[in-house]
Amino acid sequence: MCTTDQRRNVKHIVPAVRLAVALLGIAAIVSTFFDTATRATINPFNFFGFFTMQSNIMLVIVLLVAALVSFSGKAQSRWLELARGCATTYIVITGAVYNVLLAGLEGGVSLAWANTVLHVILPVYAAFDWMLFSDRSSLPWNKIWVSLVYPIVWIIVVLIRGATDGWVPYPFLNPAQGYGVVALYALAIAVATVVFAASIWAVSRMHLLGIPALT
């Protein structure tokens, strides 16, 4: 059991860590933007069109909001908990796909430290944050569909851009290879999202190390 002093310490330390991680993520994103700008003219729609960038930005936002809410002494709303669950799902997918399939390949984030932050540090931190800190209640299973909204919208936008201006973030979503192949990849993304989201939803029912809630 945790004492009152221990609870008070965790109540201040956890949001401070979240704030620090969010600022690190912002630094990595901004540094990558300006580093890319030194080599080519940046189209913001392209730069921010990657799942990696968008998932990291979403995580940074929910970490900042969660930290501010904790510092204010208020309880997190159900919508913030749901947003954290979705953002954690997306960033864990980013980390898993990159480290299993893409690490070491050409392309991606050219700054080594920023690449590590966006593809390793933030995904790993998000997973541990969700598992260890119990300042969230169990996510309702009837809301798991919410986790699919962003990936579906992202895929639709990518397909529209691929068919119009020819830009696609990843070769496997290029309409030039046939919409049947792209549809299979899109289905695989949707299934993977549900699988990862189900894991995040399940973990929301656990307090693995018993670290006390912050509220």
Side-chain angles (χ1 to χ4, degrees), residues 78-162:
R78 296 292 288 172
W79 283 108
L80 177 54
E81 292 176 345
L82 185 59
R84 282 181 59 203
C86 289
T88 302
T89 298
Y90 308 144
I91 197 67
V92 169
I93 290 175
T94 293
V97 170
Y98 175 81
N99 288 285
V100 172
L101 301 176
L102 303 177
L105 299 180
E106 293 184 2
V109 179
S110 57
L111 283 175
W113 73 267
N115 183 68
T116 299
V117 169
L118 300 177
H119 288 118
V120 180
I121 294 177
L122 262 63
V124 170
Y125 173 80
F128 278 100
D129 182 291
W130 188 255
M131 288 189 295
L132 301 182
F133 304 143
S134 58
D135 61 328
R136 39 110 181 108
S137 51
S138 300
L139 296 181
W141 288 109
N142 63 359
K143 290 292 192 297
I144 197 170
W145 62 268
V146 176
S147 66
L148 279 171
V149 174
Y150 161 66
I152 289 174
V153 171
W154 179 78
I155 289 173
I156 291 174
V157 172
V158 167
L159 292 180
I160 291 174
R161 290 205 58 195

Side-chain angles (χ1 to χ4, degrees), residues 7 39 53 63 67 69 82 86 129 139 159 167 192 194 196-197:
R7 286 178 177 274
R39 297 188 302 275
M53 283 298 170
L63 287 178
V69 169
L82 185 59
C86 289
D129 182 291
L139 296 181
L159 292 180
W167 182 86
V194 171
F196 278 90

Side-chain angles (χ1 to χ4, degrees), residues 30-112:
V30 172
S31 297
T32 300
F33 182 89
F34 284 107
D35 177 68
T36 304
T38 63
R39 297 188 302 275
T41 301
I42 289 184
N43 180 336
F45 292 103
N46 294 355
F47 181 85
F48 293 107
F50 288 88
F51 192 93
T52 292
M53 283 298 170
Q54 293 181 9
S55 61
N56 273 278
I57 290 171
M58 282 187 277
L59 179 68
V60 163
I61 291 173
V62 297
L63 287 178
L64 287 174
V65 174
L68 293 175
V69 169
S70 295
F71 279 130
S72 71
K74 298 179 181 178
Q76 294 185 31
S77 68
R78 296 292 288 172
W79 283 108
L80 177 54
E81 292 176 345
L82 185 59
R84 282 181 59 203
C86 289
T88 302
T89 298
Y90 308 144
I91 197 67
V92 169
I93 290 175
T94 293
V97 170
Y98 175 81
N99 288 285
V100 172
L101 301 176
L102 303 177
L105 299 180
E106 293 184 2
V109 179
S110 57
L111 283 175

